[in-house]
Amino acid sequence: MTPAKSPQTMKPATAAKKLGIFLPATPQEFQDNDISRGDFNQLQENPPEWLAELRRTGPHPRPVVAHKLGVSISGLSRGGITDPLTTAEITALLQSPPEWLVAERSTMARVRDEEKRAKEARRAKS
């Protein structure tokens, strides 16, 4: 007889990162308890209203903000963005982009183009 395995769990910070949400904005119950793999899968498949609202309006963690703005996380730092932003704040930045955002988006586009060129060059060699 083999001993029963306890369910695999993850810390709230890990679950929040995987869900793309800002941990301090989650309900206290979420922040205080480890999340089982089953509960995590349920959150992904059938998100409760608080999770859907966080994803919709924020505040969003830095990786999500960077993605929505089309820049790197380092680019956010160079632009002085160190705190989470809401969807409304991100939209305002996109509608009236400051100089740093225009420059960082341009840099990110060049990086993507160079990565694509390098990938094609590797493919051509093989």
Side-chain angles (χ1 to χ4, degrees), residues 116-126:
K116 182 179 177 183
R117 187 202 60 75
K119 184 177 180 180
E120 289 171 356
R122 283 192 303 272
R123 199 175 312 162
K125 285 183 180 180
S126 52

Side-chain angles (χ1 to χ4, degrees), residues 28-123:
Q28 196 64 44
E29 181 181 337
F30 182 89
Q31 295 178 41
D32 292 343
N33 299 299
D34 287 353
I35 292 90
S36 72
R37 177 62 64 187
D39 289 343
F40 179 78
N41 290 339
Q42 184 64 29
L43 285 170
Q44 285 186 308
E45 293 166 14
N46 188 20
E49 183 54 36
W50 65 264
L51 178 54
E53 184 65 22
L54 265 179
R55 286 177 168 168
R56 208 172 19 255
T57 62
H60 303 288
R62 291 168 45 98
V64 173
V65 172
H67 177 75
K68 287 179 180 262
L69 290 175
V71 299
S72 66
I73 294 173
S74 298
L76 285 179
S77 295
R78 287 189 292 271
I81 305 294
T82 57
D83 295 327
L85 297 180
T86 64
T87 300
E89 291 168 324
I90 293 168
T91 301
L93 282 171
L94 290 171
Q95 288 175 345
S96 182
E99 282 185 41
W100 71 265
L101 181 56
V102 173
E104 290 299 332
R105 290 182 75 155
S106 174
T107 299
M108 192 69 159
R110 284 194 308 275
V111 167
R112 279 193 297 268
D113 288 346
E114 178 58 24
E115 288 173 348
K116 182 179 177 183
R117 187 202 60 75
K119 184 177 180 180
E120 289 171 356
R122 283 192 303 272
R123 199 175 312 162

